[in-house]
Amino acid sequence: MKIAKPFTRAKRKQLRTPSHQPAPGLKILANAEAFCLATQWIAGYTEKDCTMSTLKGPTLKGPTLKGPTASSQPKDGPSPTCMSINGVSYALPNDPRTTLLDFLHQNLALFGTKKGCDHGQCGACTVLVEGERINACLVFAFQLRGKAITTIEGIAKNDELNPLQSAFVKRDAFQCGYCTSGQICSSVALQKELADKTPSAVTFSENYSAREDISERMSGNLCRCGAYPNIVDAIEDVIALEPQ
């Protein structure tokens, strides 16, 4: 492996000389700092809406984003070039590197889905795609073209809380509330899994309780406050109300 040599005394003196033309890398760094200062207050701007030049540094790719860009597609379903979020069709972002989580936050201002670890380990960013739960931080937005996505903002219907939301309040199944949106979305998917008789890791055991099954299915959603017993209680309450 080639080891980079440190600057000599003469080289350091040359770099400190005002008349010296900075190296391209230093110029990019200076341009990047100025670019960030100039754009940090532009509404709707994200750091992914720029391109990097080896000589000029970062520059905006196009016009500044102005918030949600709802497409002209009907609300009854997404088109192949769009995705439906809570029943509304949106055009896919131009940057293929944009994750679904960043798209929800930076383009649509839907902040109910939380960014916790940003590595798919905590479950705070759980959303539903065609009824199945996924971590929004691990999927690119363009991968969901033509899909129907439901976030925590779409769980309640006509300002009426979902039974799981009401059960979480009744059972005090949260403290700080940061993970609650992911917990509720995951709980909604859990109901569908039980209805479809989808097995979990414990269902292959000879003896297991329904409470153990719920705990296993919810194990991908962490609660730093430790409200797990109340979360399971809330889910049990809703399951008990469902026709068997």
Side-chain angles (χ1 to χ4, degrees):
M1 183 176 67
K2 188 176 181 180
I3 301 176
K5 296 181 179 180
F7 284 138
T8 62
R9 182 178 299 178
K11 184 66 174 178
R12 288 197 297 270
K13 182 178 180 180
Q14 184 185 25
L15 289 175
R16 289 197 297 267
T17 304
S19 60
H20 173 68
Q21 180 67 23
L26 298 177
K27 185 176 181 180
I28 290 176
L29 184 61
N31 288 343
E33 183 178 0
F35 179 81
C36 291
L37 291 174
T39 57
Q40 61 181 339
W41 295 111
I42 296 179
Y45 168 77
T46 74
E47 68 274 15
K48 294 180 179 178
D49 296 317
C50 65
T51 56
M52 179 65 74
S53 167
T54 56
L55 295 178
K56 298 181 180 179
T59 54
L60 282 175
K61 293 190 299 185
T64 303
L65 298 176
K66 296 299 182 182
T69 54
S71 72
S72 59
Q73 299 297 326
K75 293 186 178 182
D76 56 354
S79 77
T81 58
C82 301
M83 58 180 166
S84 172
I85 300 178
N86 300 328
V88 180
S89 291
Y90 294 96
L92 297 172
N94 293 328
D95 192 340
R97 299 169 297 175
T98 305
T99 64
L100 175 60
L101 181 58
D102 286 340
F103 182 69
L104 292 173
H105 285 188
Q106 299 173 352
N107 294 64
L108 307 184
L110 294 175
F111 296 105
T113 305
K114 303 303 183 184
K115 178 176 284 193
C117 64
D118 208 24
H119 287 78
Q121 298 174 349
C122 70
C125 66
T126 303
V127 298
L128 305 178
V129 177
E130 306 289 350
E132 296 184 4
R133 47 187 164 175
I134 68 164
N135 291 324
C137 70
L138 293 184
V139 62
F140 291 117
F142 80 87
Q143 294 177 287
L144 301 174
R145 59 166 56 94
K147 300 291 185 179
I149 300 151
T150 303
T151 68
I152 187 64
E153 290 88 352
I155 295 296
K157 301 298 182 184
N158 299 323
D159 295 329
E160 181 179 350
L161 291 179
N162 182 284
L164 277 166
Q165 292 174 303
S166 300
F168 266 63
V169 174
K170 180 180 179 181
R171 285 290 189 172
D172 197 21
F174 51 86
Q175 291 185 37
C176 76
Y178 196 81
C179 73
T180 306
S181 59
Q183 299 277 4
I184 291 176
C185 286
S186 195
S187 302
V188 172
L190 181 150
Q191 288 182 288
K192 183 176 183 297
E193 291 171 4
L194 292 177
D196 296 340
K197 301 188 183 304
T198 303
S200 71
V202 301
T203 54
F204 297 98
S205 304
E206 293 184 1
N207 298 313
Y208 70 93
S209 65
R211 191 175 183 86
E212 291 174 332
D213 188 30
I214 294 173
S215 297
E216 170 60 30
R217 293 177 189 271
M218 293 295 295
S219 60
N221 292 80
L222 303 184
C223 175
R224 313 287 185 187
C225 303
Y228 298 113
N230 298 29
I231 292 172
V232 176
D233 288 341
I235 297 173
E236 283 187 323
D237 289 348
V238 175
I239 292 176
L241 298 175
E242 296 178 345
Q244 302 297 322

